[in-house]
Amino acid sequence: MRANIFSSRDRRRLERAAALYLLACYRSRTAARATEFASTILWTQPYLSRFVAAVTGLSVRNYLRRRQLAYAAYLLRATPMSNREVALASAFGTVATFYRCFLDAYGKTPGAYRREVMKCDTVKEIVEIEMILARPTRRSHEM
């Protein structure tokens, strides 16, 4: 078995480069592409493919896609953006691609994911509020 020649520093460099590249894609609302990522960091496509595979065990496309999906899930949880806006804001290029990838990764559509997350968050908030209200305060014991 071949020893991994890449260190945690290499992983951090890759994560930072991917974060900066995807941030540029998010800002310009353009699709993220492996070839464009390679040219952005001034590497050849074959070298980037070998590097990402060795460091993460994923292809460049799947590595970028995972990061995009995590960002899209965050947007669905934290913003009132429509699913179409989330698809474009998370650099998927088309809404159809976003839906297909999201369904493959999370096992549900973006709308179903949002409804489920919002339902859980609302229930959690209600339980927390009820616990606070049910807890006796110091003042109530003093009176």
Side-chain angles (χ1 to χ4, degrees):
M1 186 172 190
R2 189 171 167 227
N4 188 357
I5 59 171
F6 298 106
S7 67
S8 60
R9 182 176 180 206
D10 293 322
R11 177 178 284 279
R12 286 191 307 271
R13 287 178 54 217
L14 174 63
E15 288 172 359
R16 178 146 170 80
L20 291 172
Y21 169 69
L22 287 173
L23 183 61
C25 291
Y26 300 152
R27 285 184 178 154
S28 64
R29 294 187 177 232
T30 58
R33 305 203 187 292
T35 53
E36 188 177 80
F37 179 43
S39 67
T40 300
I41 59 175
L42 304 175
W43 286 358
T44 64
Q45 175 69 35
Y47 180 77
L48 178 64
S49 295
R50 286 191 306 273
F51 183 83
V52 171
V55 172
T56 67
L58 301 168
S59 68
V60 177
R61 180 178 174 197
N62 287 338
Y63 176 70
L64 292 174
R65 183 75 30 96
R66 276 192 180 181
R67 293 180 67 99
Q68 289 173 266
L69 286 166
Y71 183 63
Y74 164 75
L75 291 175
L76 289 168
R77 287 189 313 268
T79 69
M81 296 169 76
S82 71
N83 292 341
R84 183 181 186 289
E85 290 171 322
V86 170
L88 297 176
S90 54
F92 275 94
T94 68
V95 177
T97 302
F98 171 60
Y99 270 79
R100 181 177 39 80
C101 293
F102 199 91
L103 186 61
D104 287 346
Y106 290 92
K108 57 189 80 149
T109 65
Y113 175 83
R114 176 178 272 163
R115 283 189 300 277
E116 186 176 302
V117 168
M118 297 309 281
K119 186 171 83 174
C120 291
D121 287 347
T122 304
V123 169
K124 183 180 174 187
E125 289 173 10
I126 290 171
V127 169
E128 288 174 356
I129 291 169
E130 287 175 349
M131 288 175 56
I132 292 168
L133 293 175
R135 195 175 338 156
T137 61
R138 254 189 232 177
R139 285 196 171 153
S140 65
H141 288 306
E142 293 172 1
M143 293 182 176

